[in-house]
Amino acid sequence: MAISPQVADHSLSLTEKHELAFPVLSDLDQEAIRGYLVQFTLAGDLEDLQVNVFHNDPRDQNADHTRSLPVPATFVIDRGGIVRAAFVSADWRIRAEPAAIEAALQSLPAGS
């Protein structure tokens, strides 16, 4: 699954646009994003670039109307809630390798 700070309508649009085969959940108050320590707030030049150059203000899409966003992250969590693998990169272009995610999933103890 994916978790997004966007309101459900925006998450649904993303799911349909990219034909995602997994659910996208809305983290309306960004509690999950804060809990996993992957929340940041746009500021300075980055805020100016996002809002005034790209014309994409997160306040228009986020349920809590903040300019906070999640750092792209991937977590493999077992059924007991234990994080078994994590990948976080401040560079939004760098994502977890699918093979690494598959390996983490395959290494989960039976029943996890």
Side-chain angles (χ1 to χ4, degrees):
M1 78 176 77
I3 300 175
S4 169
Q6 296 178 337
V7 295
D9 287 347
H10 288 288
S11 294
L12 180 59
S13 296
L14 179 72
T15 301
E16 292 171 342
K17 177 180 176 183
H18 296 289
E19 299 179 357
L20 301 178
F22 52 85
V24 178
L25 305 179
S26 292
D27 186 10
L28 300 178
D29 59 3
Q30 297 196 34
E31 183 177 347
I33 293 166
R34 278 192 309 279
Y36 284 97
L37 305 176
V38 294
Q39 181 190 46
F40 77 97
T41 301
L42 291 176
D45 290 341
L46 185 56
E47 178 182 24
D48 182 58
L49 182 69
Q50 189 73 22
V51 174
N52 298 315
V53 176
F54 295 139
H55 305 287
N56 185 22
D57 190 338
R59 291 183 305 186
D60 297 335
Q61 297 180 27
N62 286 349
D64 64 359
H65 304 290
T66 65
R67 286 192 172 141
S68 293
L69 297 169
V71 174
T74 301
F75 297 96
V76 174
I77 305 169
D78 70 17
R79 292 179 192 264
I82 297 171
V83 176
R84 298 293 183 165
F87 180 88
V88 180
S89 175
D91 185 337
W92 62 271
R93 297 168 297 180
I94 300 173
R95 304 297 174 113
E97 288 294 325
I101 297 168
E102 285 183 7
L105 290 169
Q106 291 173 357
S107 70
L108 289 174
S112 293

